């Protein structure tokens, strides 16, 4: 007669094998995307990356891959999934939020309580160029001093799309 521990053992083994199989499929899909620049089943890949985020993060770093690689792939997948919808939204209804940590240490920008850091385009970092580009497209840009500021900006601008920039990986 099979006892409860044997049943549990079988269930765990099957679960483990399914996870490994899903992981292998996701890795093959990612490799294909990286090589061909064509993305297959982005929703599935994103689900696997989210579901196995921490084990994958540790695994990729252990085998010597670039720190933040999993975040980079996740962001690419998210961008790919959202691009079609985003592209339908007029530029003037979009806002770009940049974290203030992208600025240089000696950044001369002054903090405005309603508009965030006001870039002086001093050339010490790439934000000035990015703002110029967005100005041409009529996209509003905010260099945000902290998380609570995001709510304020959303209330103020009522955007239809928010683009977040420069967050390399989760903590
Ligand atoms: S370009 Fe703008 S954000 Fe960057 S360091 Fe200069 S003032 Fe600061």
């Amino acid at each position: 007669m099979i006892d409860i521990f044997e049943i549990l053992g079988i269930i765990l083994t099957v679960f483990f094998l399914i996870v490994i199989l899903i992981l292998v499929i996701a890795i093959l899909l990612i490799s294909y995307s990286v090589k061909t620049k064509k993305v297959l089943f982005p929703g599935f890949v994103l689900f696997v990356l989210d579901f196995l985020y921490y084990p994958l993060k540790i695994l990729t770093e252990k085998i010597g891959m670039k720190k933040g690689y999993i975040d980079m792939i996740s962001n690419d997948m998210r961008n790919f999934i959202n691009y079609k919808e985003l592209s339908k939204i007029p530029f003037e209804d979009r806002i770009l939020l940049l974290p203030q940590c992208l600025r240089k240490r000696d950044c001369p920008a002054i903090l405005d309580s309603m508009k965030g850091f006001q870039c002086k385009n001093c050339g010490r970092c790439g934000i000035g160029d990015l703002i110029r580009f967005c100005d041409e497209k009529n996209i509003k840009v905010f260099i945000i001093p902290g998380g609570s500021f995001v709510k304020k900006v959303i209330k103020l601008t009522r955007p239809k799309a928010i683009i977040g920039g420069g967050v390399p990986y989760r903590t």
Side-chain angles (χ1 to χ4, degrees):
M1 216 173 96
I2 306 178
D3 68 19
I4 186 82
F5 292 108
E6 275 183 72
I7 295 171
L8 275 178
I10 291 167
I11 292 171
L12 277 178
T13 309
V14 170
F15 176 75
F16 188 68
L17 287 175
I18 291 172
V19 169
I20 298 280
L21 181 69
I22 290 174
L23 190 57
V24 169
I25 294 171
I27 289 170
L28 289 175
L29 288 172
I30 291 169
S31 310
Y32 177 83
S33 307
V34 171
K35 270 190 196 144
T36 63
K37 307 276 176 234
K38 284 182 200 153
V39 181
L40 293 178
F41 306 111
F44 169 75
V45 173
L46 193 56
F47 167 76
V48 176
L49 291 176
D50 280 346
F51 187 60
L52 298 171
Y53 177 74
Y54 286 105
L56 278 173
K57 192 177 164 75
I58 293 166
L59 183 76
T60 47
E61 284 176 19
K62 283 258 184 285
I63 61 172
M65 289 174 87
K66 205 164 58 179
K67 203 175 173 198
Y69 185 75
I70 292 299
D71 301 277
M72 199 181 76
I73 299 280
S74 292
N75 288 341
D76 283 351
M77 291 296 153
R78 261 178 244 283
N79 287 341
F80 185 83
I81 290 168
N82 292 321
Y83 180 76
K84 223 173 174 183
E85 282 304 305
L86 177 72
S87 61
K88 289 180 199 156
I89 296 171
F91 287 130
E92 60 272 21
D93 290 327
R94 307 179 194 183
I95 61 170
L96 171 63
L97 302 182
L98 299 171
Q100 59 125 345
C101 59
L102 290 180
R103 299 175 307 137
K104 286 290 173 197
R105 234 175 249 266
D106 51 352
C107 168
I110 292 165
L111 180 61
D112 179 296
S113 62
M114 298 308 284
K115 297 177 189 162
F117 282 100
Q118 295 298 284
C119 173
K120 291 188 183 292
N121 199 4
C122 72
R124 292 187 184 108
C125 79
I127 291 181
D129 289 340
L130 196 53
I131 291 178
R132 205 173 324 123
F133 173 82
C134 289
D135 281 349
E136 282 167 19
K137 303 270 179 212
N138 213 3
I139 299 172
K140 294 175 203 80
V141 183
F142 296 90
I143 306 170
I144 54 170
S148 58
F149 190 81
V150 174
K151 279 189 199 158
K152 202 194 276 185
V153 167
I154 293 171
K155 237 179 169 178
L156 203 76
T157 57
R158 301 261 168 227
K160 291 195 178 127
I162 301 169
I163 307 162
V167 184
Y169 33 80
R170 290 185 243 187
T171 50

